[in-house]
Amino acid sequence: MTVTPLEPLAEDWQKALAVVAHPDDLEFGAAAAIARWTGQGKEIVYCLLTSGEAGIDGLAPAECGPLREAEQIESARIVGVSQVEFLGQPDGTIEYGVALRQVIAEVIRRHQPEIVITNNFRDTWDGDVLLNQADHINTGRATLDATRDAANRWIFAETGERWNGVREVWAAGSPNSKHAADTTDTFAQGVASLKAHDAYIRGLNWPDFDPEEFLEGLARATGTRLGTKLAAPFEVFTP
């Protein structure tokens, strides 16, 4: 079986905005790359559309939301991110559409990033049978579209001055990834960042789940394609 090589992501930028659906989304693979970039002195802001309030079956949303927000803030701190926003969208029922594009366009205009990071929004995680979740799909699609919206002065003018400085949108974990970031030196931070979601992981009732083993399996396979020990994959879009 032929393994297609991956190209390294550009790193000649200073500010990125990560827009994902839930607390823990970035930690299932991308957090180690975030740690690499903050370690280079780059500024990265996290924007979570929901508080993950519907993510723990045995915990009511009113209690779950604040708990998961606290875990996400600590998780972000571990990889060098100090600014985390929660936008109050409904966990589990995020709808793609104009309203969601407007919410994300406002955030992009306010933070003015050069790079926008989101999660895989393809139908599957493996390009075959491992289905993605609707919140991820709708968030990623809306983030890509909102990047273009934010650059057009006549769309959502009420959300502020246009920002056309986004160079690329990166979707972490996409099965169509052709690029990756070397995470060999920051892998341990990525693992610690996922472990910070302790209540969520326990709530999944996966008794045999080992965050380090899970992340290492993904990172090693990607690293082989990049020519490094460990790496995180991304699909790159130009708005």
Side-chain angles (χ1 to χ4, degrees):
M1 180 177 177
T2 302
V3 176
T4 305
L6 297 171
E7 295 293 326
L9 288 165
E11 293 187 332
D12 58 341
W13 51 273
Q14 186 57 34
K15 185 171 184 179
L17 172 69
V19 181
V20 294
H22 317 106
D24 83 81
D25 281 353
L26 289 163
E27 285 66 51
F28 276 92
I34 301 289
R36 171 185 174 88
W37 297 321
T38 59
Q40 296 171 347
K42 303 183 192 305
E43 178 185 358
I44 301 178
V45 176
Y46 280 8
C47 178
L48 290 297
L49 293 188
T50 81
S51 297
E53 67 274 9
I56 301 177
D57 182 65
L59 202 59
E63 184 178 356
C64 182
L67 174 60
R68 297 201 66 197
E69 286 186 2
E71 288 190 339
Q72 180 61 73
I73 291 168
E74 172 59 14
S75 178
R77 184 198 64 78
I78 291 169
V79 294
V81 174
S82 61
Q83 191 167 355
V84 182
E85 296 184 10
F86 301 91
L87 297 186
Q89 298 297 302
D91 184 16
T93 58
I94 293 175
E95 291 186 282
Y96 173 85
V98 172
L100 184 60
R101 284 165 47 192
Q102 181 172 359
V103 167
I104 300 172
E106 186 278 329
V107 173
I108 293 171
R109 285 175 170 168
R110 179 156 47 85
H111 289 291
Q112 300 186 345
E114 298 162 77
I115 301 296
V116 172
I117 300 166
T118 191
N119 251 8
N120 171 37
F121 54 91
R122 300 301 185 181
D123 289 340
T124 69
W125 287 101
D126 60 355
D128 188 12
V129 297
L130 188 59
L131 289 176
N132 202 349
Q133 197 249 17
D135 278 3
H136 302 150
I137 295 169
N138 294 336
T139 296
R141 286 184 56 210
T143 298
L144 186 59
D145 290 338
T147 302
R148 290 189 291 261
D149 295 333
N152 187 323
R153 71 174 74 251
W154 308 118
I155 299 177
F156 308 138
E158 66 276 19
T159 65
E161 294 294 323
R162 72 167 179 167
W163 174 249
N164 61 357
V166 175
R167 293 165 44 186
E168 293 178 334
V169 179
W170 297 347
S174 169
N176 294 352
S177 295
K178 295 180 181 178
H179 293 76
D182 180 1
T183 58
T184 304
D185 294 336
T186 53
F187 177 74
Q189 285 174 267
V191 172
S193 188
L194 178 55
K195 287 182 176 180
H197 293 277
D198 177 63
Y200 175 67
I201 292 172
R202 286 187 287 107
L204 291 174
N205 293 316
W206 295 347
D208 298 323
F209 178 70
D210 182 327
E212 183 170 1
E213 182 180 9
F214 174 83
L215 292 176
E216 185 173 0
L218 298 174
R220 282 192 179 278
T222 306
T224 297
R225 296 175 63 193
L226 185 64
T228 63
K229 181 179 178 181
L230 303 170
F234 293 82
E235 185 174 4
V236 174
F237 300 88
T238 302

